[in-house]
Amino acid sequence: MHARDSVLMTFPIACRDPEMFDRSDEVVIDRQRNRHPAFGLSIHCYLGSNIARLEMNVAVVTWLRLAPEFSLAEGADVTWSEG
């Protein structure tokens, strides 16, 4: 790389780095070490991140209350988004 080269960040794979995340290919709702870039990092943080986290919490809690038992259909595979 050279000075002023552009870098394209592929966010769909950002949280699948096995060096940063244990079980990086799994959805772990209660993951304790969770430094992902969803709302930005450091001083480049999304101002609405706290309300967005609250909204997501309400959505997941409501979903789990209404559908406490769910699973993938028999033989179904997870398809990862490529962005």
Side-chain angles (χ1 to χ4, degrees):
M1 294 195 66
H2 300 93
R4 301 192 187 280
D5 280 355
S6 295
V7 175
L8 175 63
M9 296 198 54
T10 57
F11 285 101
I13 64 167
C15 298
R16 294 183 65 197
D17 181 352
E19 292 183 19
M20 291 296 295
F21 298 94
D22 292 332
R23 298 167 40 206
S24 60
D25 282 339
E26 298 178 33
V27 175
V28 181
I29 299 294
D30 59 349
R31 188 183 308 271
Q32 296 301 309
R33 185 170 177 248
N34 198 16
R35 186 169 165 73
H36 61 80
F39 297 120
L41 297 171
S42 185
I43 63 169
H44 304 287
C45 188
Y46 169 55
L47 292 176
S49 63
N50 290 328
I51 190 73
R53 284 187 179 97
L54 176 62
E55 290 172 342
M56 190 63 189
N57 184 287
V58 169
V60 170
V61 167
T62 301
W63 175 23
L64 293 174
R65 183 171 37 89
L66 296 173
E69 295 183 31
F70 57 92
S71 62
L72 289 176
E74 186 73 29
D77 290 324
V78 173
T79 303
W80 293 97
S81 170
E82 297 298 326

